Amino acid sequence: MPVATPRIELGEITPHNIKQLKVLNQVVFPVTYNDKFYKDVLDVGELAKLAFFNDIVVGAVCCRTDMQEGQRKLYIMTLGCLGPYRRCGVGKKLLDHVMKIAKDDGQYDAIFLHVQISNDEALQFYNKFGFKIIDTKQEYYKRIEPADAYVLEKSLKTGKLETVS
């Protein structure tokens, strides 16, 4: 009898399952997100997803659109997965979803996020997908050590030369 491969599926975040996202974030991240964060997540549509591993919530991604210095960027506020489900393709599925949104939209200049400087596992994960450290934010986090964060970014513009007239 063949062994079934695990199903990783993405689902909407709704008022009915937002508490699952809150619990997941409390377990996965060393910081606490306020009620406004969760209210905003309900309004971003495809930019926020839960990840299900064989119908169990094991991960999530939450993004927003930011404008920085005239550039439209997709900001990954959170992307996380429960420890036992890491290296099972959940994070890749979530990040692939984010990159597909940015590609299909066609108007994003980059995707970026913050990663605690001591989080080697996250740094290695994002590096595999072409994210580069572009800055270090001193004292970015409150109430956790180390408090500094790297800014990671993946450029989506393919070296098009702009002409100045």
Side-chain angles (χ1 to χ4, degrees):
M1 187 168 184
V3 177
T5 50
R7 285 190 344 262
I8 302 168
E9 295 176 353
L10 302 184
E12 288 183 43
I13 297 174
T14 69
H16 300 290
N17 63 20
I18 192 83
K19 285 185 177 156
Q20 289 180 293
L21 175 64
K22 282 184 182 182
V23 170
L24 182 86
N25 284 350
Q26 288 168 351
V27 172
V28 172
F29 300 111
V31 295
T32 303
Y33 294 93
N34 61 28
D35 289 339
K36 183 184 181 323
F37 171 88
Y38 294 102
K39 182 185 173 301
D40 291 348
V41 162
L42 290 172
D43 295 331
V44 297
E46 288 294 306
L47 294 180
K49 290 288 186 183
L50 290 174
F52 296 87
F53 188 93
N54 287 341
D55 300 325
I56 300 164
V57 174
V58 298
V61 63
C62 302
C63 303
R64 70 171 186 245
T65 299
D66 271 14
M67 290 299 292
Q68 292 183 344
E69 299 167 6
Q71 290 194 319
R72 186 169 180 253
K73 296 183 178 185
L74 191 56
Y75 177 57
I76 300 174
M77 299 183 291
T78 62
L79 188 153
C81 176
L82 294 174
Y85 296 90
R86 292 187 185 144
R87 293 184 172 70
C88 294
V90 177
K92 179 184 183 320
K93 180 98 170 182
L94 290 165
L95 191 54
D96 284 348
H97 173 76
V98 170
M99 292 196 295
K100 181 177 182 339
I101 285 173
K103 181 176 179 272
D104 291 351
D105 178 278
Q107 298 300 309
Y108 287 105
D109 294 293
I111 302 170
F112 77 108
L113 67 148
H114 294 89
V115 173
Q116 191 176 18
I117 61 168
S118 60
N119 191 341
D120 292 334
E121 192 176 9
L123 293 168
Q124 289 171 11
F125 172 78
Y126 288 107
N127 185 53
K128 284 192 294 191
F129 292 92
F131 284 79
K132 305 286 183 223
I133 296 171
I134 61 161
D135 197 6
T136 303
K137 297 289 186 186
Q138 305 294 321
E139 303 296 320
Y140 179 77
Y141 296 106
K142 314 287 185 254
R143 295 182 289 281
I144 62 169
E145 287 294 328
D148 300 345
Y150 290 126
V151 179
L152 275 60
E153 185 171 285
K154 178 181 176 71
S155 177
L156 300 175
K157 297 299 176 189
T158 53
K160 294 176 191 160
L161 292 175
E162 293 182 10
T163 54
V164 179
S165 43

